[in-house]
Amino acid sequence: MSETKPEGEEMPLTLIAPQPPVVDAAPKNLGWHLPTDWSAQRQIAYELEVATTSDFAAGSMVWTTGRVVSDSSQHVDYQGPLSAHQRYYWRVRIWGDAGAEASSEPAWFETAKLSAADCRGEMIGPQTDPGAEKQAPSVAKRFTLASKPASARLYITSFGIFRCFINGLRVGADELTPGWTSYRERLGYLTYDIAEHLQAGDNSIEVWLGDGWYRGEICWPAHRIVNAYGDRVGCLAELRMVDEAGTARSVVTDSSWTSGLTPVLMSGIYPGEIYDARLEGETGPVGGVDVLPLDKSTLVAQEAPPIRELPHLQPVDQRSIGPGVTLVDFGQNVAGAVKLTLSGERGATVRVNFAEILDAEGKDLNSTSFRGAKVQLDYTLKGGGEESYQPVFTFMGFRHARVTITGQARLVSIESVPFTSDLVETGSFSCSNPLINRLHENARWSLRGNFLDVPMDCPQRDERLGWTGDAQIFSPTASYLRDTAPFFRKWLRDMVADQREDGAISHVVPHPNRYHEANMPNFYGSACWGDAICAVPWTVWTFTGDRDILAENLPAMVRWIGYLTSMSPDGVRHPPTRIVERGFTFGDWVQPQGSTVKPNPNTGDDFVATAYYFASTRTVARAARILGETAIAEQHEALADKIKAAFQREFITPTGRLLYNSQGAYVFAFANDLIPEQWHDKAIEDFKRAIYRTGGLNEPGLQLGTGIIATAQLLPTLSKIGLHDIAIKLLLVETSPGWLYQVKRGATTIWERWDGIDLEGTPATSMNSYNHYAYGAVVYWFYHHLAGIQADPQAPGFGSIIIAPEFHAELAPLQASHDTRYGRIEAGWQVDNEGRVTYSFTTPPGTKARLKLPAGAADITMDDRALSREEAARSLSQEGLPVSPGRRTVTLRLAA
Ligand code: RAM
């Protein structure tokens, strides 16, 4: 796993390597962190050099920017020559305005294939393949090398999931490769350094092929698909070996390869795996291979960090519940696998079943949250000493496991092996309330388990799909916690690949129904869900300042607005109620106390869909302005005005009431600036009443009433309109609906519904996933509003930082950090017994920051100096008080 940087340590000039570092085009957005001791020094110039050797010897230099007079440390695009299969080293030197200079250590990036013509080999399908949901086949090749190569790479991908062995040793530690893309349009390949696997003399490569998302069971039973992308698994690989003299030789997949079977008797994402260890080494070549059609222009170098294992978790409880049956609790709900170590007789069998929760008595598994997914491992021992097994081609979402042994065998150990897409961690948070800290931790675990190459709704049941709505609402939270840019960039490319002719975005991306339209007609185009095509690039832009993410997606964003406009000539959306109809919208999904139609909301679909239509149109207009696409900007500005007017006409009465008097309605309207100025104060009062009117279980009169999409914006919207106190009260509610209820009930990940387990301990019978990150979107508010770490909306990417905390004595002390492309931002506050606040924050060198203190702050000092009247006024103003980089400590008194 990627480690976060150590706290408080001086950092030298550090390069930000492209993620992943193997590329198939010129890398963009190279950047660096200034040394941490450069707070008082401004960069005035830089030079970036690229060479083919790490010593940057004269003959190896390929490109330099020369000395560029600039204070920017980001977004340098490589513009030098590029050849395939080449490692490039790069380094940076900077000059400061006080005369200092600094140089970085070198970093590297490496090219794989730069064009389809570079992609050698054929996609080969094993003739031994028995088809989907049966024994996994393999392809193999033996070859001889005169000497051990000086360097060697394996470029490899598959139809289905692959596991590769060279000379019997597994290649790489990545899981479920090559991940999930819209395979027919875009197929990712991986690059591995295999020099250490190879030897002079005889060598062998063997690749096992599992069904995976490509052709295994996908979607819930009513819409189950098998062979979603094709009915043959296959492998495309090139082993490229370079000797000391620099001569390259390749072994590529072609018709000379052989095929066999593997010990994996059955595997699938939902069903699990059946593995017979007695077959290890016994399933070797019995057939040939067929060359399968493949358009090589669809090949892309792996675009996001792969899925990897996190540190294994040991059981916190392990007990026998019957002869040969052991119940294990790992104490943490995860997505991943288990690693079993066993000892016993050849032919003895072990079955592992899983669950997120236990039954009411705590005596056995309750696996109802898996719905139609079988989620079972069956392993047959080979015997003869200790042996270990971890499934090869599946993953599961679980906290508990039940191990059943039949025959003579003993469970030596069992570990939980969490998986996650290996994105760099960028966030930390803690406060004085342990329930809130656990909530934050639960959101982190839900991110880990649900970011498995695509952002999934949940990792356990018969879905595990890239639901666009869930990912959209969680993306800002995720982007505080991880460097999500490569992950979302990849996923957005699949979103665009799966976009329909009419501009509709599918409800799930990648869209396994794409070639099976009749299976789920019109599974496209919902408000909020489809709006991910606008909102997610905007989030990435906000966190990175990378214009390319906007440029790349703008055409698809425009098409999406075209789709919405085609159904809304008067500016108002009128979604149909049946999911199979064009323009259907899910609405504020899983809203508590909503109507019983859908699992759903009492905020009208027309209202929600029109608000999103407006929000996305405005986002397109803003993106187009940033990109200098004036015509697109003007067109969408005018359209946004039209939608806003239509919204106000249709949904706000002449006396300023909203047509739907739900909390969600006020959230959508305020978040998107849809309430006319004249009705602001009145709408705020109405909003408060909508929060207090339900009353009952919680603090008298106050009750949360939003579904997944309004909840994501609930606290930020309350903060935006000055209702911080209500926001914090809602956060602190410990009954359902409320975030802390599930924490008190022992949740270790975020639940799909507020009442996933009721007060009596009875689990919900539907929508009962215990690992659904959507409600975890509240964590955004922890960083953005409580700690006050914000990207400047006028200049995204954290080169310009807004420091705008909100203080709540009941959470003090509180601290948070976020690692940006410029370095780490830290912020934290304490409140003493007299109500005096001490707020310390650090912004990295090379950035600008403005401090905005909450209304009512008085008696303000900074770094032991009282602020002047003008400074204090600025710190309380809209534009804020400019502060220089480094660590600052502010003290203040809050208005009573
Ligand atoms: C559920 C998913 C997801 C939601 C959709 C509409 O089944 O789990 O959370 O986005 O439906």
Side-chain angles (χ1 to χ4, degrees), residues 271-384:
E273 190 165 287
I274 303 175
Y275 188 101
D276 188 340
R278 293 173 302 183
L279 300 180
E280 285 176 358
E282 303 293 325
T283 50
V286 288
V289 297
D290 299 318
V291 171
L292 306 178
L294 170 72
D295 173 359
K296 288 188 179 173
S297 70
T298 60
L299 293 170
V300 290
Q302 173 89 356
E303 296 155 302
I307 302 170
R308 300 231 167 91
E309 291 181 4
L310 287 158
H312 297 190
L313 306 176
Q314 303 305 319
V316 294
D317 185 33
Q318 184 168 339
R319 58 196 147 99
S320 169
I321 56 166
V325 187
T326 310
L327 192 64
V328 184
D329 178 3
F330 294 103
Q332 175 60 55
N333 203 22
V334 304
V338 285
K339 182 176 181 194
L340 301 166
T341 302
L342 301 148
S343 149
E345 274 180 6
R346 186 175 178 83
T349 62
V350 182
R351 170 165 291 180
V352 192
N353 296 96
F354 297 87
E356 295 184 284
I357 57 169
L358 294 181
D359 63 17
E361 294 78 44
K363 290 193 175 140
D364 205 345
L365 306 177
N366 176 337
S367 306
T368 48
S369 69
F370 295 170
R371 291 197 323 211
K374 192 169 180 188
V375 196
Q376 178 171 292
L377 301 177
D378 280 301
Y379 177 79
T380 304
L381 279 79
K382 58 184 172 227

Side-chain angles (χ1 to χ4, degrees), residues 9 32 387 411 451 462 541-542 582 778 794:
E9 217 171 84
W32 53 92
E387 55 196 278
L411 178 65
F451 274 27
D462 47 7
W541 154 248
T542 302
R582 183 172 186 262
V778 68
Q794 301 308 319

Side-chain angles (χ1 to χ4, degrees), residues 572 607 610 643-660 665-666 668-670 672-680 682-683 686:
V572 175
F607 184 104
T610 306
I643 302 166
K644 187 174 197 166
F647 179 95
Q648 294 176 342
R649 201 173 55 235
E650 193 84 8
F651 302 117
I652 304 180
T653 71
T655 57
R657 292 180 66 91
L658 295 193
L659 186 63
Y660 300 99
Y666 294 101
F668 297 127
F670 274 118
N672 296 306
D673 311 307
L674 286 164
I675 309 250
E677 194 57 44
Q678 66 186 120
W679 299 124
H680 246 237
K682 176 178 164 43
D686 289 342

Side-chain angles (χ1 to χ4, degrees), residues 547-558:
R547 291 159 55 103
D548 292 337
I549 195 79
L550 298 180
E552 188 173 327
N553 289 289
L554 187 69
M557 292 158 77
V558 169

